[in-house]
Amino acid sequence: MVDQNPLEVANSASCGDHGNPLIRTGTLWSCVAHIITAVLGSGVLSLAWSIAQLGWIGGPISMLCIAIITYISSYLLSDCYRSTDPVTGTRNHSYMEAVRVNLKSRKQSWLCGFLLYFIMYGIGIAYVMTTAISLRAIQKSNCYHTEGHQASCTYGDTLYMLIFGAVQIVVSQIPDFHNMQWLSVIAAIMSFAYSFIGLGLGLAKVIENGSIKGTLSGVATTTVAAKLWLAFQALGDIAFAYPYSIILLEIQDTLKSSPPENYMMKKASLIAILVTTFFYLCCGCFGYAAFGDDTPGNLLTGFGFYEPYWLIDFANACIVLHLVGGYQVYSQPVFAVAERWFSKKYPNSAFVNNFYSFKIPMFPRFQVNPFRLCFRTVYVISTTGIAMLFPYFNQVLGVLGALNFWPLAIYFPVEMYFVQKKIGTWTKKWIALQAFSFVCFLVTVVGVIGSIEGLISAKLS
């Protein structure tokens, strides 16, 4: 059975431009759930390692600074959801659309689009790796429990990556953000669960040790250069753990119009950032206090913890469930832009535009679009394949975090804010925001350098 062409639906009374539903049902708490699903992800597990490289002074201060920067970025960007007026202006449904409308520069729009979808694609790769690491950790935990802590217990990642990819091929058929609130809620609950477990295990380890490990300067290295590389990579990892600006406008587009979306988004951002920062500081600091210079790159899978093995298994299972949703949060904007582009490019193509309705016994009727099925399947297969080639967790997180941090989380929001608020050159606010942007640019430069060096070293070793 062939259903109505979505281009016709897009022009109906129930839909807005680009086929987005006019009736948005998102609330403050669904918005917070989306943000936490996006932010409180695999990055939290590398924070103890990051603090270990930066030490007791540099680690927590860096984390607090990036949290503040993230809130400022989200504050600026949330006012760019509507053009001209933040309450009554025309909606910008995506980050790239906001850049195109506000900056009116084809080059900047193309640069933004390239960086935006490259980062989202990269995060998908990172999530495939993290899921495999967590599934492997469950197997290793059971092995250590049975065979003893000195057993080899060595397992590969390939099978687990393939399993995760197969699951994502199915889950990727969820139409869009408006249909996945339930998945974000489940993912957010899972992220709280494994964060609490990581926090509790770290605290218990500190109590068991009877002392707080670590130093003010962090892990000692043989040379100053080696210390700098690791510190730069740690900054990249922390940067990866925070900014969600690349999907902020897509999340904001799910909110009801009253109260104003920018007001609700700022409030949701503040709540989500306060919650995640609390968990980040606790997990990172207790992890470093527990293991000191031996802090693993991934707190729950690096096996500083061996017992209780069932709790380690449960925590890693929660990570896997969370990443099923997290992968979708970052993939749905890519799916949406590709499907809109092809729909406009080939308006008369049945393969691109027609939906076919199917009914399987004991399941509700569902719709399949041939292009959506093929494109999303190929997308998932490609992220899975690349993850198999570059299975270097901390280094990949550092590169992605650093690349995302300045251009997408800082530069474009600041430039759009200048246009939106009509801020003149060399005014006090203009100077302050430009200085803010420059400092963040320096963080991105050192983060990229350190992470790429770490990735090259890991590949060669």
Side-chain angles (χ1 to χ4, degrees):
M1 174 182 176
V2 181
D3 289 345
Q4 188 178 7
N5 188 305
L7 291 177
E8 298 172 10
V9 176
N11 295 322
S12 69
S14 63
C15 293
D17 47 343
H18 303 307
N20 291 289
L22 285 175
I23 303 175
R24 292 167 173 81
T25 59
T27 64
L28 173 67
W29 298 111
S30 69
C31 188
V32 169
H34 282 316
I35 295 171
I36 289 176
T37 300
V39 178
L40 196 60
S42 58
V44 69
L45 304 174
S46 70
L47 292 179
W49 180 90
S50 298
I51 289 181
Q53 311 314 310
L54 297 169
W56 279 119
I57 295 177
I61 289 176
S62 297
M63 203 174 295
L64 288 172
C65 287
I66 291 180
I68 293 169
I69 289 169
T70 301
Y71 179 68
I72 294 172
S73 169
S74 65
Y75 184 96
L76 299 177
L77 192 55
S78 61
D79 282 339
C80 300
Y81 172 62
R82 289 183 182 268
S83 301
T84 310
D85 186 276
V87 178
T88 61
T90 304
R91 288 184 173 91
N92 296 312
H93 303 289
S94 68
Y95 191 111
M96 189 174 176
E97 189 174 339
V99 170
R100 177 178 54 79
V101 171
N102 284 284
L103 300 185
K104 296 179 173 62
S105 168
R106 185 177 179 83
K107 288 183 179 179
Q108 291 203 68
S109 180
W110 276 102
L111 175 62
C112 168
F114 171 76
L115 288 172
L116 186 66
Y117 299 116
F118 174 77
I119 295 298
M120 288 183 182
Y121 186 76
I123 290 173
I125 295 169
Y127 279 15
V128 174
M129 285 189 296
T130 311
T131 302
I133 291 169
S134 294
L135 289 171
R136 185 183 63 190
I138 293 174
Q139 194 170 6
K140 288 179 71 175
S141 174
N142 293 331
C143 174
Y144 285 136
H145 178 73
T146 304
E147 305 294 335
H149 297 174
Q150 303 307 316
S152 60
C153 296
T154 303
Y155 303 100
D157 293 326
T158 302
L159 176 61
Y160 301 124
M161 290 184 184
L162 290 173
I163 292 172
F164 183 74
V167 171
Q168 286 301 337
I169 288 174
V170 176
V171 179
S172 290
Q173 299 310 309
I174 294 174
D176 53 37
F177 257 124
H178 299 275
N179 299 97
M180 59 174 287
Q181 288 186 14
W182 62 273
L183 187 60
S184 282
V185 170
I186 292 172
I189 293 171
M190 293 300 103
S191 64
F192 280 127
Y194 68 71
S195 296
F196 269 120
I197 292 170
L199 168 60
L201 289 171
L203 177 59
K205 188 72 173 179
V206 171
I207 295 172
E208 178 187 325
N209 294 338
S211 63
I212 295 175
K213 295 186 178 182
T215 63
L216 295 180
S217 59
V219 175
T221 57
T222 54
T223 65
V224 174
K227 180 67 176 178
L228 285 175
W229 293 134
L230 290 172
F232 291 168
Q233 186 181 325
L235 285 173
D237 281 7
I238 294 173
F240 176 85
Y242 267 105
Y244 56 96
S245 48
I246 57 176
I247 57 169
L248 183 145
L249 295 182
E250 280 86 355
I251 294 174
Q252 192 167 339
D253 194 39
T254 68
L255 290 171
K256 293 183 288 189
S257 299
S258 180
E261 300 96 344
N262 63 331
Y263 168 79
M264 293 298 287
M265 194 68 204
K266 291 172 185 176
K267 191 173 181 180
S269 293
L270 180 61
I271 293 170
I273 290 170
L274 286 174
V275 170
T276 53
T277 301
F278 170 77
F279 278 109
Y280 283 1
L281 283 171
C282 289
C283 289
C285 291
F286 278 120
Y288 182 41
F291 299 108
D293 286 0
D294 297 322
T295 302
N298 188 319
L299 188 60
L300 288 174
T301 63
F303 282 94
F305 301 116
Y306 292 97
E307 299 292 342
Y309 80 99
W310 58 268
L311 188 59
I312 307 298
D313 289 353
F314 178 73
N316 280 294
C318 289
I319 294 171
V320 172
L321 289 175
H322 169 256
L323 293 179
V324 170
Y327 185 99
Q328 287 303 308
V329 166
Y330 283 103
S331 298
Q332 285 292 341
V334 182
F335 298 157
V337 74
E339 288 161 14
R340 282 202 298 264
W341 188 87
F342 275 93
S343 184
K344 289 180 179 178
K345 184 74 174 177
Y346 305 102
N348 299 317
S349 170
F351 178 79
V352 173
N353 295 302
N354 283 352
F355 283 73
Y356 300 88
S357 184
F358 291 92
K359 180 71 174 72
I360 297 177
M362 301 178 66
F363 287 92
R365 183 175 294 276
F366 65 97
Q367 294 181 322
V368 174
N369 170 255
F371 175 77
R372 173 187 292 174
L373 179 63
C374 294
F375 174 78
R376 297 187 181 194
T377 299
V378 170
Y379 180 93
V380 172
I381 290 172
S382 65
T383 58
T384 305
I386 293 175
M388 292 177 183
L389 295 176
F390 295 97
Y392 308 112
F393 179 72
N394 287 87
Q395 294 82 359
V396 170
L397 293 194
V399 172
L400 292 172
L403 286 174
N404 170 37
F405 186 67
W406 179 72
L408 296 176
I410 309 299
Y411 172 74
F412 285 116
V414 167
E415 294 300 313
M416 288 190 289
Y417 188 78
F418 287 156
V419 173
Q420 191 84 357
K421 299 298 183 181
K422 298 179 174 62
I423 296 173
T425 306
W426 301 113
T427 60
K428 289 181 179 179
K429 185 174 283 190
W430 185 90
I431 293 172
L433 287 173
Q434 289 289 18
F436 165 73
S437 179
F438 179 72
V439 170
C440 294
F441 172 73
L442 295 180
V443 174
T444 282
V445 170
V446 299
V448 168
I449 292 171
S451 300
I452 290 177
E453 191 279 336
L455 188 60
I456 293 171
S457 298
K459 185 68 174 175
L460 294 176
S461 61

